[in-house]
Amino acid sequence: MAAGLFDCTGKVTVVTGGNGGIGLGFAMGVAKMGGDIAIWARNAQKSAAAKADLEAAGAGKVIAYQIDVSEEQNIVTGFETVMADFGQVDCVFANSGASPRYNSVFDMPTEHWYQFQRTALHGAFFTLREGARHMKARVEAGDRSGGSLVACGSLSLFQGLAGKIEYASSKAAIAAAVRCLAIELAPLGIRANVVAPGLVITPMMGGGEQARQVEAHFAPTIPMKRTGFPADFEGIGAYLCSDASSFMTGETITIDGGYMVRP
């Protein structure tokens, strides 16, 4: 059983896209602090492997669900199932997203814009809203433990990315939504924050030589002289899930090796 400043024992965290990459890194931090975790993802095989890793790391209880967050009703039903299985929701990390596929705004088909936002923006918003709905009901029933809502942002909140307008737009929009949630829900003790990663090497980027080439190209531009990895999000996951972050809300936390403050 975990104990200490970042103790997550008895807390239930829902992580969308939690079977790999940044989502699994966030979940791993919660697991190492003894928390319970609900993984939401589409690939059942990857989720089974992630579940085993989280349990081995010290998680209290882990259940993997096959949920596609591009549909609002899937999210509503997903939270109902989590409530039935765990009895509560303490932290939500809206992390599911997609990779931009075009190099110019003029090449991107209109349908791709709408399809992309169904997961990256709408899916993230509905995930946070429905998680907050259950936290609010719990507070109104007399339990003042509040809750923690977290969205996965990006440095594209601050810098333009040529040709990646659908990606950057989704991240900027969900960050604005999080700030609104932070203000509205603060009286209930429910906090809302954004984690904005720099360049992180994840399986979505490909593995092997491709990942090594990306790292070799970009690492010199980062003050810490390396790219990020999913494990770099374990600490922030444990912090934002735990009561140690109970007075932090409305913030955008960059985890980028110093990239944004380069001279």
Side-chain angles (χ1 to χ4, degrees):
M1 179 178 294
L5 186 61
F6 290 0
D7 186 18
C8 297
T9 305
K11 294 187 180 297
V12 178
T13 298
V14 175
V15 183
T16 69
N19 63 2
I22 293 170
L24 181 55
F26 188 101
M28 190 62 70
V30 176
K32 289 182 178 180
M33 291 294 102
D36 299 334
I37 300 162
I39 298 171
W40 286 14
R42 292 181 295 181
N43 187 313
Q45 185 174 356
K46 279 183 62 179
S47 293
K51 178 179 184 294
D53 289 343
L54 292 168
E55 290 172 337
K61 177 180 179 180
V62 183
I63 299 178
Y65 304 86
Q66 266 191 294
I67 296 178
D68 181 352
V69 299
S70 68
E71 296 292 341
E72 179 184 2
Q73 187 56 49
N74 293 345
I75 295 168
V76 173
T77 302
F79 273 110
E80 290 173 350
T81 305
V82 168
M83 290 297 294
D85 291 338
F86 289 91
Q88 65 191 59
V89 175
D90 298 278
C91 179
V92 176
F93 184 34
N95 167 72
S96 289
S99 297
R101 290 163 36 196
Y102 300 92
N103 294 320
S104 170
V105 65
F106 304 111
D107 296 334
M108 184 181 66
T110 300
E111 182 54 34
H112 171 74
W113 170 272
Y114 289 115
Q115 188 66 32
F116 190 94
Q117 304 307 337
R118 286 178 63 184
T119 296
L121 174 55
H122 306 318
F125 169 68
F126 292 135
T127 296
L128 295 173
R129 185 193 68 184
E130 293 307 308
R133 194 185 302 280
H134 289 284
M135 294 173 183
K136 178 175 180 287
R138 185 175 168 188
V139 171
E140 290 175 342
D143 185 339
R144 300 293 300 180
S145 54
S148 177
L149 303 171
V150 187
C152 186
S154 159
L155 297 190
S156 62
L157 293 172
F158 314 104
Q159 298 178 328
L161 293 177
K164 313 302 179 190
I165 192 168
E166 78 277 53
Y167 176 81
S169 297
S170 71
K171 296 302 186 181
I174 200 60
V178 164
R179 289 189 287 271
C180 293
L181 288 169
I183 297 302
E184 180 174 350
L185 302 177
L188 298 172
I190 300 170
R191 54 206 190 272
N193 295 285
V194 178
V195 173
L199 179 61
V200 180
I201 302 298
T202 69
M204 185 182 292
M205 300 174 63
E209 184 59 28
Q210 180 180 350
R212 284 191 290 271
Q213 289 178 0
V214 171
E215 186 172 11
H217 178 76
F218 286 102
T221 70
I222 300 170
M224 283 192 164
K225 303 305 178 187
R226 72 171 179 87
T227 56
F229 295 94
D232 292 315
F233 294 83
E234 293 182 9
I236 199 67
Y239 171 66
L240 291 176
C241 174
S242 74
D243 292 337
S245 61
S246 62
F247 199 55
M248 173 179 276
T249 196
E251 290 297 318
T252 296
I253 307 160
T254 57
I255 301 181
D256 63 357
Y259 187 86
M260 283 299 299
V261 294
R262 294 173 301 165

